[in-house]
Amino acid sequence: MSLTREGIAYRVACDLPNGAYVNLGIGIPTLVSSFIGPDKEVFFHSENGILGMGPIAKPGTEDPDLINAGKQYVTVLPGASFFDHPTSFSMIRGGHIDYAVLGALEVAANGDLANWRTPGEKVPGVGGAMDLAFGAQNVIVTMTHVTNKGKPKILSKCTLPLTAPRCVKHIFTDMAVIDVTPEGLVLREFAPGLDPKAVQAQTEAPLRVPASCREMSVPANFQQTAQPVR
Amino acid sequence: MSLTREGIAYRVACDLPNGAYVNLGIGIPTLVSSFIGPDKEVFFHSENGILGMGPIAKPGTEDPDLINAGKQYVTVLPGASFFDHPTSFSMIRGGHIDYAVLGALEVAANGDLANWRTPGEKVPGVGGAMDLAFGAQNVIVTMTHVTNKGKPKILSKCTLPLTAPRCVKHIFTDMAVIDVTPEGLVLREFAPGLDPKAVQAQTEAPLRVPASCREMSVPANFQQTAQPVR
Amino acid sequence: MVDKTLKTCEEAVAGVFDGATILLGGFGDPGLPGQILEALRSQGAKNLTIVHNGAGGGTHSLGGLIHDGKVKKLIASFPSNPGNQSFQERYLKGEVELELVPQGTLAERIRAAGAGLGGFFTPTGAGTDLAAGKESRTIDGRDMIFEKPLRADFAFVRAHKGDRLGNLNYRMAMRNFNVPMATAAKFVVAEVDELVPPGGIGPEDVHTPGIFVDHVVQVVRHPEYLKITTEGR
Amino acid sequence: MVDKTLKTCEEAVAGVFDGATILLGGFGDPGLPGQILEALRSQGAKNLTIVHNGAGGGTHSLGGLIHDGKVKKLIASFPSNPGNQSFQERYLKGEVELELVPQGTLAERIRAAGAGLGGFFTPTGAGTDLAAGKESRTIDGRDMIFEKPLRADFAFVRAHKGDRLGNLNYRMAMRNFNVPMATAAKFVVAEVDELVPPGGIGPEDVHTPGIFVDHVVQVVRHPEYLKITTEGR
């Protein structure tokens, strides 16, 4: 078993505390906002000057002046605010964003993150990736555990250019929840039906498995029996 | 003859062009705003976050949230704006303020300005004086030509601590209008009834007197026969 | 549900410890959190470092805190107003330290702290007495000095409207130092005239987004506000 | 009387010279001065350096300017969107230079220029490929790199409302890069939806004070605005 993309997002959403200020990257991270339960308020930030974003705008209700950093038409909730880029990145660089949830190409055991240059990509683009990786209080990575060629993405050392050194605190994949600690990677949870050994087999960097390590609690509709998410 | 304080302010006001953005210091500079004729629009800036200030508030109409940098209750004109200190000093430091009209203790022939520490003053205070002296496009000094002990304030070299080096462009006093040029001080105008020689006698730094040097044109009510303004 | 409101100014200052550094908003009275300041005076914390444009007036407000001997150091641009007696008396006796900073540099240093920057080069002050001990370099032909970010343990600010999420809106000239100060401290409390529900401040009218603010406390403006505030600034 | 209004976008770009550096506002379409940009494309100036978050879409807008070969260099954070074909084709042929800057650093460098600062230290990028050639130092235990101000000959921005004094008000997410860009160029023109008389934007609602703006030109939003703008971003 492994988690669907929605499952990974759901699992991240479970960990975000009430009152958190959160920036979501493109891809799986974007899905996180839909899984915040009614028991808590989480505030979503967009680099282009929005705090308090609501859901994606319904077709026909889009406002041309209201997009998110991924250029989707969005909405805002009561209590939202608009501001300029310097203010928006003061929130990021100044450590005011509690959680940045980002995709990754590679994560190293020491928390190094590589997510801005893909191998073979000829035109580089960095956007706000470095600002978020350097600035947010907690960088959470969501990704598939291995590449679409089956190679591990959690490594002893990144091979791709770094986005930021030693920034990742937590890794959420289709197979596991892993914490980055001063003593290395710690396996906190594994997907239903897996075990620590199965996770380690897909992880190049060594994982510590504490006594508290357990199977994830994720509804069945977020699990799949097929191959892990590509 | 010499100019009254109002006369100095009037003479400065005559030189401010239509559309100028101007910051007025405390003292004689504050008086300048009342002498802007109806033929031009000049925009007054206050360090504490106001652009487009109008006159001092009439008694009984003061708003407790609306003061100028001199802590007087003021008004704003249509088209005014409010902003925070970083923005306000971006206007100053960034060279967006066209004219800063400041008082001075001493001005040197090379444009050095000393206006922030008085001799014998035990508690220092700088406020926005340095920001304005370093940042404004044109620094205009208004002051009495000599100290209240009759000593020249326009010197070959300042004796007091500098506010900013080489910043003053024009000097308006009760006796003269003097331009600071790369070739030294140039006497542009002298007060009615005086002559270049009389001005030089009260000026420690040498004055160049070009052929264009002339008597000021200032209404009689701005002139006084008594001693120069103290 | 998130609720950042406090009931009293006493709660706002309860955590202030001896030796704390405090950013105190306002320029003159607009934006000065006067009632939090009075609560701070009663709270008793001492050896404080206060960052404020001036030095407060008479023996009330910041002047009162200094008068009471609670302030070890003042970081300010203009503590030399004739009204700043409490500061001036203690300063001349050597009982309060002063770090004098040009007003724009003070605002920018606070902003830099809130923005996570390590400092900046500015022309302001280069070649003057206030450049003493500062790193200098010539950039694009202009002499510049290096200024460091100025962060604090606490920031106390005053706004006009606030909501339970910490969003703030300022009237007229209230914004001044409050906007950068609200970004640059570990614990930020705003005193406001009016608490409104979320959305009560339109999203374009939020001047300090709630992300920067820990708590909001509604106060009733002193009926003699205007009268009181015309003295001693 | 001061009147900063222009009648046409052609007037806005008339002074643009070959080799000019231009700050181009907007993030995606909100705040993008699309009609000034079309006028610039017709105007014919070449060897331009454009500062913009992305690289524009397809063969219209900034994409069109690049497609036409008018752009010598792009200073951007994210020119790698699949929609940025014009840029990518010319970049891969070596016909356009690229200076890649992290988005927050780009905004802050522009702000620093407008604020008269000489540069700043930031953690963003330290120890990465984008730190190459940059001065670095450790400040308060954190690795930082030095970033320089980024100023320009021209800035073109888009706002919602404007007045004859140059005051601007932005709707929703239009503010983005426009606010700092309007402060950082010698000649600044804003394209607006609506011209209002002075005071038509309340003094608390002015996001870009007129002091920063040279001219304002009112345009009619393209009726297919929404449709057009959903492609190629």
Side-chain angles (χ1 to χ4, degrees), chain B residues 90-219:
Chain B
S90 288
M91 292 178 185
I92 295 172
R93 199 191 309 100
H96 306 283
I97 299 289
D98 298 313
Y99 296 88
V101 186
L102 304 172
L105 299 164
E106 294 176 352
V107 180
N110 66 352
D112 285 359
L113 170 66
N115 77 350
W116 76 281
R117 292 212 69 170
T118 49
E121 173 197 60
K122 286 178 183 140
V123 180
V126 63
M130 282 191 184
D131 305 277
L132 286 160
F134 276 90
Q137 282 297 324
N138 297 280
V139 173
I140 288 179
V141 156
T142 63
M143 62 178 185
T144 58
H145 206 90
V146 298
T147 69
N148 54 16
K149 291 190 176 138
K151 292 200 170 169
K153 293 160 82 170
I154 302 172
L155 308 172
S156 298
K157 193 170 187 316
C158 289
T159 66
L160 293 169
L162 292 193
T163 307
R166 297 170 181 277
C167 64
V168 177
K169 295 251 179 97
H170 309 289
I171 307 167
F172 290 74
T173 75
D174 48 341
M175 297 182 71
V177 178
I178 295 169
D179 297 322
V180 182
T181 77
E183 291 75 37
L185 302 177
V186 174
L187 181 65
R188 199 201 314 169
E189 297 178 15
F190 45 83
L194 297 183
D195 60 24
K197 213 171 151 189
V199 177
Q200 179 68 76
Q202 304 292 332
T203 309
E204 193 258 318
L207 299 173
R208 288 161 52 104
V209 184
S212 58
C213 178
R214 60 190 171 83
E215 189 175 284
M216 279 183 221
S217 167
V218 173

Side-chain angles (χ1 to χ4, degrees), chain C residues 108 111 116-123 135 137 139-140 144 146 151 170-172 175 203-205 207, chain D residues 108 111 116-123 135 137 139-140 144 146 151 170-172 175 203-205 207:
Chain C
E108 193 68 20
R111 179 190 178 274
L117 301 172
F120 55 89
F121 282 93
T122 176
E135 177 185 346
R137 68 170 70 169
I139 297 175
D140 294 335
M144 302 250 181
F146 185 62
R151 54 177 57 84
Y170 304 88
R171 274 190 82 225
M172 300 183 153
R175 265 182 245 190
E204 275 118 350
D205 303 327
H207 301 128
Chain D
E108 193 68 19
R111 179 190 179 274
L117 300 173
F120 56 88
F121 283 93
T122 177
E135 178 185 348
R137 68 169 70 168
I139 297 175
D140 293 336
M144 302 248 179
F146 186 62
R151 55 176 58 82
Y170 305 89
R171 272 191 84 227
M172 299 183 152
R175 265 182 245 190
E204 274 116 352
D205 303 328
H207 301 129

